[in-house]
Amino acid sequence: MAKKTDSETEENVEKKAAAKKSSTKKAAPKKETKATTAKKTDVTKDAVKKDAKKEAPKKEAVKKVVEPKTEVKKESFKNDNISFDMEVEANCKVKYIASPSKLLWEKARKQAIKKIAKGVSIPGFRKGKAPESIILKKHSAQVKQETDQAVADLSFTECQKEAKTPILHGHGNITFNVEGEGEDKKLIFSFESEPIIPELDMSVFDIKTTKENKVDEKRVNEEIDNVRSFYADWEQIEDRGVEEGDFVLLDIDDLDQDPPAQVFNGARFEVKSGKMVKWMQDLVMGLKKGESVEGISKPDEKASEEDKKNFKEKKVKITIASIEKSTLPAIDDDLAKKVGVSDVAEMKEKLTNLVIKKDERVQRETDREEIEKQLIEKVLFDIPATLLEKEANHRMSQLFNNPEFKKDWEENLSEEEKDAKKEEIKEKSVQAIRLFYLCRNIVQENKISIGDDDLKPDYSSILEMMYADQKKLQYQSMSDEQKQMALTQVMMHKAEDYILDQLEHAAG
């Protein structure tokens, strides 16, 4: 999830527990039927529509690793209207085994008679005014059916009043079995609950954040050259091959795929040590516009040993789409005014601060990724099977939207490889769902605000725009769905930032 999570977890941070509308029929012993909810009953009035956060059971503190619980947790409840046992199983499955009291049965019977009386016409009586005895005599089967329905609704409401279990938002299917006969019946309600999010113990995290960030004169001058490139005069080179210092637009194809797949189309690279990886620079030097060359990709010489070890070489084809040479403007007050500042001195000062902020943003993103990794590894809890299935199916459908993946799946993968891929998608789905719920819980508990302002760009000059968060620059062109997804990402970032801030504070 994000990091995904994906997808199907972007919802309002203040979720409410709610049940889907369904119908209740008289059930034979051990026959599963759907419990009534929503408009037709009172089940949702007192229990289901309460805030999920307020109704959540007491949380458990995380010490090292919170493992999802597989044993059945049992608890008993009782009041004047009902007695019941609650069983909580793996994957957030909840079961109420309820025995309604005679008082509740009588209340249900009166509701049933009143409801039937309002809908039938009996000679000599106005609608709704016929005596109970006549209603019972003329409509006994309907009274029995409506009483069973009413007692189911009343029983579930009473169970929710005592247990306060948050029903899974958007998936509130409540089913029940019936055991026994008459008023000795036991009603067995089954549904999925919202995940129980454990409290975080900050001592489980092991991360060292980087606070100190210095920018020297060399770095500032490099950034000034980047600014100058925005205002450069570009000359198209037609009569010679690529030389050091040129800019090239490249089309790059991956030849290891069948058929070959284009990786870059018209991507611009500066042909200069430190700007272009050596293997690519060696290949393009001397080539003219329109010419192509094949070669093997190599890891960057400055890459870490781990990155070099994990690098997968590929056979590629590089085509020179264009060769350009730039003439940069002078570093003077005219250039400074073009980017919204008064003179060169102010431009250098602002650039220094903007580069520091950019580096801090990059470092913070690295720290967030580490926090996400540790949250996934160290804070484990049950999630509903319905959510997992929905998320995994969404991820698989996204993959099948890629024609290359679909073809590979249908023509090349064995059944064992398909099963392995499904397990991989399932694991990623579990991680995304847990990460979403954890972050949302942190935001809710600490009253961290989230809104459209978090997506809007914040700059007052062209220079600041050049160093602004690129995602925010896309705000105006976002659809409502894209904004909702972006807000979910903001929510997760703010939760991760909260953890990082707590760790920094504890470290002094």
mmCIF file of all heavy atoms in Angstrom, residues 56 87 123 148 174 219 230 237 266 274 294 296 337 339 343 384 393 412 435 494 505:
data_model
loop_
_atom_site.group_PDB
_atom_site.id
_atom_site.type_symbol
_atom_site.label_atom_id
_atom_site.label_comp_id
_atom_site.label_asym_id
_atom_site.label_seq_id
_atom_site.Cartn_x
_atom_site.Cartn_y
_atom_site.Cartn_z
ATOM 1 N N ALA A 56 -14.031 0.750 20.011
ATOM 2 C CA ALA A 56 -12.962 -0.241 19.901
ATOM 3 C C ALA A 56 -12.620 -0.832 21.257
ATOM 4 O O ALA A 56 -12.544 -0.119 22.252
ATOM 5 C CB ALA A 56 -11.715 0.407 19.306
ATOM 6 N N GLU A 87 -17.243 -14.509 20.850
ATOM 7 C CA GLU A 87 -16.037 -15.216 20.441
ATOM 8 C C GLU A 87 -15.360 -14.426 19.321
ATOM 9 O O GLU A 87 -15.995 -14.081 18.331
ATOM 10 C CB GLU A 87 -16.377 -16.630 19.946
ATOM 11 C CG GLU A 87 -16.969 -17.521 21.031
ATOM 12 C CD GLU A 87 -17.265 -18.919 20.530
ATOM 13 O OE1 GLU A 87 -17.076 -19.163 19.312
ATOM 14 O OE2 GLU A 87 -17.683 -19.769 21.334
ATOM 15 N N PRO A 123 -62.354 -5.809 9.530
ATOM 16 C CA PRO A 123 -63.695 -5.200 9.611
ATOM 17 C C PRO A 123 -64.052 -4.824 11.050
ATOM 18 O O PRO A 123 -63.832 -5.587 11.987
ATOM 19 C CB PRO A 123 -64.622 -6.303 9.083
ATOM 20 C CG PRO A 123 -63.742 -7.118 8.182
ATOM 21 C CD PRO A 123 -62.393 -7.104 8.833
ATOM 22 N N ASP A 148 -39.756 -13.282 15.178
ATOM 23 C CA ASP A 148 -38.395 -13.802 15.028
ATOM 24 C C ASP A 148 -37.463 -12.737 14.455
ATOM 25 O O ASP A 148 -36.297 -12.613 14.869
ATOM 26 C CB ASP A 148 -38.410 -15.028 14.108
ATOM 27 C CG ASP A 148 -38.984 -16.254 14.792
ATOM 28 O OD1 ASP A 148 -39.146 -16.213 16.031
ATOM 29 O OD2 ASP A 148 -39.277 -17.248 14.098
ATOM 30 N N ILE A 174 -24.069 -9.146 8.283
ATOM 31 C CA ILE A 174 -24.291 -9.843 9.545
ATOM 32 C C ILE A 174 -25.171 -11.053 9.256
ATOM 33 O O ILE A 174 -26.272 -10.920 8.723
ATOM 34 C CB ILE A 174 -24.989 -8.939 10.565
ATOM 35 C CG1 ILE A 174 -24.226 -7.626 10.716
ATOM 36 C CG2 ILE A 174 -25.130 -9.644 11.910
ATOM 37 C CD1 ILE A 174 -25.021 -6.537 11.397
ATOM 38 N N ARG A 219 28.431 23.117 -4.154
ATOM 39 C CA ARG A 219 27.064 22.637 -4.361
ATOM 40 C C ARG A 219 26.163 23.786 -4.829
ATOM 41 O O ARG A 219 25.337 23.608 -5.739
ATOM 42 C CB ARG A 219 26.523 22.027 -3.061
ATOM 43 C CG ARG A 219 25.066 21.600 -3.104
ATOM 44 C CD ARG A 219 24.855 20.318 -3.882
ATOM 45 N NE ARG A 219 23.450 19.976 -3.955
ATOM 46 C CZ ARG A 219 22.751 19.403 -2.964
ATOM 47 N NH1 ARG A 219 23.356 19.081 -1.830
ATOM 48 N NH2 ARG A 219 21.477 19.134 -3.120
ATOM 49 N N PHE A 230 17.678 26.484 -17.296
ATOM 50 C CA PHE A 230 16.294 26.792 -17.626
ATOM 51 C C PHE A 230 16.214 27.951 -18.621
ATOM 52 O O PHE A 230 15.226 28.100 -19.332
ATOM 53 C CB PHE A 230 15.503 27.141 -16.356
ATOM 54 C CG PHE A 230 15.073 25.937 -15.557
ATOM 55 C CD1 PHE A 230 15.845 25.463 -14.508
ATOM 56 C CD2 PHE A 230 13.896 25.266 -15.859
ATOM 57 C CE1 PHE A 230 15.455 24.357 -13.769
ATOM 58 C CE2 PHE A 230 13.496 24.161 -15.132
ATOM 59 C CZ PHE A 230 14.279 23.704 -14.086
ATOM 60 N N ILE A 237 22.405 20.027 -32.853
ATOM 61 C CA ILE A 237 23.623 19.564 -33.534
ATOM 62 C C ILE A 237 23.242 18.528 -34.582
ATOM 63 O O ILE A 237 22.659 17.488 -34.266
ATOM 64 C CB ILE A 237 24.628 18.961 -32.525
ATOM 65 C CG1 ILE A 237 24.955 19.977 -31.420
ATOM 66 C CG2 ILE A 237 25.880 18.497 -33.245
ATOM 67 C CD1 ILE A 237 25.585 21.252 -31.915
ATOM 68 N N GLY A 266 12.782 9.669 -25.633
ATOM 69 C CA GLY A 266 13.186 11.075 -25.651
ATOM 70 C C GLY A 266 13.650 11.588 -24.300
ATOM 71 O O GLY A 266 13.432 12.758 -23.970
ATOM 72 N N GLY A 274 29.612 12.054 -13.929
ATOM 73 C CA GLY A 274 28.831 12.447 -12.766
ATOM 74 C C GLY A 274 27.383 12.735 -13.099
ATOM 75 O O GLY A 274 26.529 12.743 -12.219
ATOM 76 N N GLU A 294 23.910 -1.025 -29.494
ATOM 77 C CA GLU A 294 23.469 -1.994 -28.494
ATOM 78 C C GLU A 294 24.582 -2.215 -27.486
ATOM 79 O O GLU A 294 25.776 -2.114 -27.816
ATOM 80 C CB GLU A 294 23.085 -3.319 -29.153
ATOM 81 C CG GLU A 294 21.872 -3.208 -30.057
ATOM 82 C CD GLU A 294 21.472 -4.552 -30.637
ATOM 83 O OE1 GLU A 294 22.091 -5.580 -30.268
ATOM 84 O OE2 GLU A 294 20.545 -4.579 -31.481
ATOM 85 N N ILE A 296 25.328 -3.518 -22.930
ATOM 86 C CA ILE A 296 24.873 -4.116 -21.674
ATOM 87 C C ILE A 296 24.902 -3.058 -20.572
ATOM 88 O O ILE A 296 25.921 -2.396 -20.361
ATOM 89 C CB ILE A 296 25.761 -5.305 -21.257
ATOM 90 C CG1 ILE A 296 25.832 -6.344 -22.384
ATOM 91 C CG2 ILE A 296 25.239 -5.937 -19.970
ATOM 92 C CD1 ILE A 296 24.499 -6.985 -22.723
ATOM 93 N N LYS A 337 16.863 38.351 -11.326
ATOM 94 C CA LYS A 337 15.523 38.940 -11.471
ATOM 95 C C LYS A 337 14.588 37.988 -12.209
ATOM 96 O O LYS A 337 13.375 37.959 -11.938
ATOM 97 C CB LYS A 337 15.614 40.285 -12.189
ATOM 98 C CG LYS A 337 16.226 41.403 -11.349
ATOM 99 C CD LYS A 337 16.266 42.707 -12.108
ATOM 100 C CE LYS A 337 16.699 43.878 -11.228
ATOM 101 N NZ LYS A 337 18.034 43.733 -10.672
ATOM 102 N N VAL A 339 14.387 34.845 -11.904
ATOM 103 C CA VAL A 339 13.873 33.812 -10.992
ATOM 104 C C VAL A 339 13.199 34.405 -9.765
ATOM 105 O O VAL A 339 12.905 33.696 -8.810
ATOM 106 C CB VAL A 339 15.001 32.840 -10.582
ATOM 107 C CG1 VAL A 339 15.506 32.085 -11.785
ATOM 108 C CG2 VAL A 339 16.131 33.555 -9.868
ATOM 109 N N ASP A 343 19.037 40.198 -6.641
ATOM 110 C CA ASP A 343 20.417 40.200 -7.133
ATOM 111 C C ASP A 343 21.060 38.834 -6.914
ATOM 112 O O ASP A 343 20.440 37.916 -6.355
ATOM 113 C CB ASP A 343 21.228 41.299 -6.440
ATOM 114 C CG ASP A 343 21.138 41.234 -4.927
ATOM 115 O OD1 ASP A 343 21.054 40.105 -4.375
ATOM 116 O OD2 ASP A 343 21.152 42.289 -4.265
ATOM 117 N N PRO A 384 -9.299 -8.275 8.448
ATOM 118 C CA PRO A 384 -10.441 -9.048 7.944
ATOM 119 C C PRO A 384 -10.148 -9.694 6.595
ATOM 120 O O PRO A 384 -9.517 -9.091 5.732
ATOM 121 C CB PRO A 384 -11.552 -7.992 7.827
ATOM 122 C CG PRO A 384 -11.115 -6.858 8.689
ATOM 123 C CD PRO A 384 -9.625 -6.855 8.642
ATOM 124 N N ASN A 393 -7.292 -8.743 -4.955
ATOM 125 C CA ASN A 393 -7.934 -8.788 -6.278
ATOM 126 C C ASN A 393 -7.695 -7.497 -7.048
ATOM 127 O O ASN A 393 -7.497 -7.513 -8.270
ATOM 128 C CB ASN A 393 -9.438 -9.042 -6.135
ATOM 129 C CG ASN A 393 -9.756 -10.471 -5.744
ATOM 130 O OD1 ASN A 393 -8.932 -11.372 -5.924
ATOM 131 N ND2 ASN A 393 -10.932 -10.702 -5.191
ATOM 132 N N ASN A 412 3.577 -18.159 -20.256
ATOM 133 C CA ASN A 412 4.902 -18.575 -19.788
ATOM 134 C C ASN A 412 4.941 -19.135 -18.370
ATOM 135 O O ASN A 412 5.775 -19.996 -18.072
ATOM 136 C CB ASN A 412 5.881 -17.398 -19.886
ATOM 137 C CG ASN A 412 6.007 -16.878 -21.306
ATOM 138 O OD1 ASN A 412 5.959 -17.648 -22.264
ATOM 139 N ND2 ASN A 412 6.168 -15.567 -21.451
ATOM 140 N N LEU A 435 -0.457 -1.191 7.229
ATOM 141 C CA LEU A 435 0.196 0.113 7.256
ATOM 142 C C LEU A 435 -0.841 1.230 7.226
ATOM 143 O O LEU A 435 -0.714 2.224 7.948
ATOM 144 C CB LEU A 435 1.149 0.238 6.059
ATOM 145 C CG LEU A 435 2.093 1.438 6.061
ATOM 146 C CD1 LEU A 435 2.997 1.423 7.290
ATOM 147 C CD2 LEU A 435 2.944 1.436 4.796
ATOM 148 N N LYS A 494 2.232 11.877 7.439
ATOM 149 C CA LYS A 494 2.139 12.599 8.709
ATOM 150 C C LYS A 494 2.240 11.641 9.906
ATOM 151 O O LYS A 494 2.822 11.985 10.935
ATOM 152 C CB LYS A 494 0.839 13.393 8.776
ATOM 153 C CG LYS A 494 0.843 14.629 7.885
ATOM 154 C CD LYS A 494 -0.269 15.599 8.252
ATOM 155 C CE LYS A 494 -0.118 16.897 7.485
ATOM 156 N NZ LYS A 494 -1.099 17.926 7.927
ATOM 157 N N HIS A 505 12.850 13.331 19.483
ATOM 158 C CA HIS A 505 12.663 13.956 20.802
ATOM 159 C C HIS A 505 13.243 13.071 21.904
ATOM 160 O O HIS A 505 13.907 13.553 22.835
ATOM 161 C CB HIS A 505 11.192 14.210 21.046
ATOM 162 C CG HIS A 505 10.883 14.818 22.381
ATOM 163 N ND1 HIS A 505 11.153 16.151 22.669
ATOM 164 C CD2 HIS A 505 10.367 14.281 23.512
ATOM 165 C CE1 HIS A 505 10.802 16.413 23.921
ATOM 166 N NE2 HIS A 505 10.323 15.290 24.454
#
